[in-house]
Amino acid sequence: MRVLVTGHLGYIGAVLVPLALDAGHEVVGIDSDLYAGSDFGAPPAAVPGRRRDLRDVTGDDLAGVDAVIHLAALSNDPLGDLDPALTDAINHVASLRLATLARDAGVRRFVFSSSCSSYGAAGDDLVDEDAALRPLTPYAVSKVRVEEGLVRLADREFTPVMLRNATAYGVSPRLRCDVVLNDLVAWAHATGRVLVRSDGTPWRPLVHVEDIARASLAALTAPRDAVHAQAVNVGRTDENFRVREIAGIVRDTVPGSRVEYAAGAGPDQRSYRVSFEKMRRVLPSFTPRWTVRAGARELADAYRTRGLSTADLEGPRYRRIGRIQAELARGRLDATLRDATLDAPVS
């Protein structure tokens, strides 16, 4: 297929693109590349693409495209909280505009990177795709609204698939240290402290970034009847952990480290245990390969090899909200997060 990947230079996209190429797909990308210069090791793979704001995509960008994997977004709760109205404009409104353009251009499969955070305060019981959605943050609300809109856009020729990814972890050429496992291993490596920022009780399902990428590719080729206008949780049912359990895994992985709780750390309302049994049925060609314990070892080895420092953790390089705030301060971005240097070819 000719596949358009939005956010192809981001945390997931930088892992997904080489896998898509290996699978024989022709890949083109669209990315505002706000995190240029934040490479962790080798830069992302080069594919034809444009530096373009998601809000400015045109029908021409979809010409000749068979499928879209839509990753681009303000990518976590801190970014979403920066300006909720802006989060809605980018994550929700611009995403549905992209999907409409794709449908009108004859794109047949649209894979949307959604989130298990949509389940919000779900308690201790396992939730599946039929459970009530209780989004607690502007980021999670935006994901729910896109899912609802995609279902309305679905027709006989246009098949959207909504992948509700568990919390991502793992090494990427565009590393993030603002997701829980990556963050805990980074602090353990750099300081010897596994720094927990809540009381450790919330539940989180976790999934490796490579498995998210592989699930996205599986959704491209899954039988239409199995995935048409369907939400699918992506992860492993046996990889649901309380945050304190994740911290214990990190302590066991990084020699000499110890678990500490941040001063004043309290409960986090976002807590959800998720079932991934539907994924096994509708994406039979995909099986997750990674576990949290293996991912913690991968991260610790990569941080040690590449010399990740405390300055890296405290600065904006690997934290999305920090990078955005730095670019706002130096004037590269305006108040709507638009970049005057965009719309130039990029690969």
Side-chain angles (χ1 to χ4, degrees):
M1 297 183 185
R2 180 178 171 86
V3 181
L4 171 65
V5 180
T6 70
H8 71 294
L9 299 175
Y11 177 59
I12 299 172
V15 174
L16 185 150
V17 166
L19 295 175
L21 294 172
D22 288 347
H25 298 297
E26 177 188 357
V27 179
V28 294
I30 288 178
D31 199 304
S32 57
D33 204 17
L34 290 179
Y35 310 110
S38 295
D39 300 335
F40 185 69
V47 294
R50 296 196 69 83
R51 285 186 67 215
R52 178 166 288 177
D53 193 297
L54 179 63
R55 293 165 287 186
D56 299 329
V57 173
T58 70
D60 290 344
D61 294 316
L62 282 303
V65 169
D66 300 305
V68 172
I69 298 177
H70 179 36
L71 305 172
L74 298 178
S75 57
N76 60 11
D77 287 332
L79 269 182
D81 293 341
L82 189 64
D83 184 333
L86 192 55
T87 298
D88 184 72
I90 295 172
N91 287 14
H92 165 218
V93 176
S95 292
L96 290 183
R97 179 175 172 274
L98 169 71
T100 302
L101 289 171
R103 186 185 64 172
D104 293 347
V107 170
R108 301 183 68 85
R109 189 68 57 96
F110 189 96
V111 178
F112 172 57
S113 184
S114 191
S115 172
C116 283
S117 66
S118 300
Y119 296 114
D124 292 339
D125 294 334
L126 280 173
V127 293
D128 63 16
E129 290 84 352
D130 294 325
L133 301 180
R134 299 184 177 92
L136 298 176
T137 64
Y139 168 79
V141 168
S142 74
K143 294 295 188 181
V144 171
R145 288 178 174 169
V146 175
E147 288 192 22
E148 293 169 344
L150 288 175
V151 170
R152 291 192 295 269
L153 286 171
D155 61 26
R156 290 191 301 175
E157 302 298 327
F158 181 71
T159 291
V161 189
M162 292 76 74
L163 299 184
R164 292 178 185 161
N165 300 316
T167 299
Y169 66 86
V171 174
S172 164
R174 284 281 167 89
L175 181 72
R176 289 178 57 186
C177 287
D178 53 9
V179 286
V180 61
L181 185 64
N182 294 10
D183 177 68
L184 293 177
V185 177
W187 281 100
H189 159 78
T191 70
R193 300 157 57 220
V194 185
L195 185 61
V196 181
R197 302 175 194 278
S198 72
D199 66 359
T201 61
W203 285 99
R204 289 288 187 276
L206 273 70
V207 65
H208 196 283
V209 62
E210 179 187 310
D211 283 332
I212 293 175
R214 292 175 56 244
S216 300
L217 296 176
L220 288 181
T221 56
R224 176 187 180 278
D225 290 345
V227 297
H228 180 74
Q230 293 289 305
V232 183
N233 297 331
V234 175
R236 294 173 50 147
T237 303
D238 59 356
E239 291 280 289
N240 284 283
F241 299 93
R242 291 192 186 274
V243 172
R244 65 185 178 224
E245 295 175 314
I246 302 169
I249 291 171
V250 174
R251 178 200 58 215
D252 295 343
T253 301
V254 180
S257 63
R258 65 191 184 278
V259 176
E260 291 188 7
Y261 290 84
D268 185 339
Q269 288 186 315
R270 300 167 302 159
S271 182
Y272 39 90
R273 295 178 66 223
V274 178
S275 168
F276 300 94
E277 299 311 302
K278 180 178 178 178
M279 182 194 74
R280 297 171 61 186
R281 298 194 306 272
V282 303
L283 299 179
S285 67
F286 166 67
T287 301
R289 295 178 178 174
W290 285 85
T291 66
V292 167
R293 290 188 181 275
R297 291 193 296 270
E298 177 206 32
L299 287 160
D301 290 344
Y303 293 159
R304 182 171 56 253
T305 298
R306 293 170 186 162
L308 190 80
S309 68
T310 305
D312 289 326
L313 299 183
E314 293 175 341
R317 184 171 185 175
Y318 301 125
R319 296 186 179 276
R320 296 308 188 239
I321 184 67
R323 181 61 183 267
I324 292 295
Q325 289 172 330
E327 298 298 348
L328 284 166
R330 76 184 184 97
R332 174 186 170 189
L333 300 179
D334 67 17
T336 67
L337 302 187
R338 287 190 176 276
D339 181 346
T341 70
L342 285 185
D343 210 29
V346 65
S347 60

